[in-house]
Amino acid sequence: MTTRTDAPTRREQILKEAARLFAERGFHGVGVDEIGAAVGISGPGLYRHFAGKDAMLAELLVGISGQLLTGAKRRLAEADGGGAEQVLDSLIEGHIDFALDDRPLITLHDRELDRLRDSDRKMVRQLQRQYVELWVGVVREVYPGLGEPAARSAVHSVFGLLNSTPHLGRGGSLPGRGATAELLHRMARGAFAAAGV
């Protein structure tokens, strides 16, 4: 797997700052001038990159849903016979990376999903369903006695746990990325094990 080391594009910078600002103050509490100032361009200059704030919000929420699904499919493909336990651990690690690295997007999803156009909201939901079903299949391989509804409930519960990271503390109040990731991983595996008993 190749890791991207290029500097973020202007478009990526805008999206990152928009996500941060929207998460902090809400979609309607942020103007294009503020987003522009955060990346060093005028508010109207943003319109060279996006049609408006609605387009930024859609790209953020549809984009992260697509990235999670693509990443999960990649992890599944890379397992290459490593076994369902290994795949489940890899899926958990990938979601923990998202939950720790993209906390503003979790807040944004929770608060602003209903602001998307119907077509964009449906796309987010479709991508999320595919993501959940991929996990359900792996969980049922690890815990074959677990029925599909119970596996789906367990997956949603683990997502709730992992996606709680915006509420774990601000700034430097989390113990350390490695320790937090390890704790979240153990808790996720514990939740699946409890469901699979």
Side-chain angles (χ1 to χ4, degrees):
M1 181 175 87
T2 59
T3 303
R4 182 178 166 179
T5 56
D6 302 347
T9 66
R10 176 64 78 183
R11 189 176 179 86
E12 291 167 338
Q13 291 171 342
I14 292 167
L15 286 172
K16 181 178 180 180
E17 289 305 314
R20 181 183 65 79
L21 290 167
F22 292 159
E24 286 175 4
R25 298 206 312 269
F27 179 73
H28 289 300
V30 178
V32 292
D33 290 335
E34 294 169 89
I35 298 168
V39 295
I41 61 176
S42 70
L46 289 178
Y47 294 110
R48 286 194 294 272
H49 302 278
F50 296 95
K53 285 191 336 179
D54 291 336
M56 288 180 221
L57 181 63
E59 188 159 331
L60 285 164
L61 295 181
V62 173
I64 193 57
S65 298
Q67 289 171 33
L68 284 168
L69 178 59
T70 300
K73 287 179 178 178
R74 187 193 76 245
R75 287 171 179 273
L76 193 58
E78 287 174 352
D80 197 29
E85 294 268 355
Q86 179 184 338
V87 173
L88 182 57
D89 284 333
S90 182
L91 289 174
I92 293 169
E93 288 164 12
H95 200 96
I96 288 171
D97 286 344
F98 156 69
L100 293 176
D101 297 340
D102 293 310
R103 292 163 73 187
L105 288 176
I106 295 170
T107 301
L108 197 57
H109 179 276
D110 289 346
R111 287 189 196 155
E112 310 292 353
L113 182 65
D114 63 336
R115 300 198 190 287
L116 291 179
R117 292 179 311 175
D118 284 346
S119 59
D120 291 326
R121 191 169 47 252
K122 285 178 184 174
M123 177 58 71
V124 168
R125 292 298 190 202
Q126 179 184 12
L127 292 167
Q128 289 174 338
R129 277 192 299 275
Q130 291 175 46
Y131 184 61
V132 167
E133 293 312 309
L134 189 148
W135 276 69
V136 167
V138 173
V139 168
R140 291 193 71 206
E141 282 185 58
V142 175
Y143 303 101
L146 195 59
E148 193 171 311
R152 191 171 290 107
S153 293
V155 167
H156 281 289
S157 296
V158 167
F159 288 170
L161 165 72
L162 300 180
N163 291 345
S164 70
T165 56
H167 309 290
L168 295 179
R170 301 283 178 219
S173 63
L174 287 176
R177 192 184 194 290
T180 301
E182 184 180 331
L183 174 62
L184 288 171
H185 195 123
R186 284 198 320 268
M187 292 172 74
R189 283 306 298 257
F192 284 132
V197 170

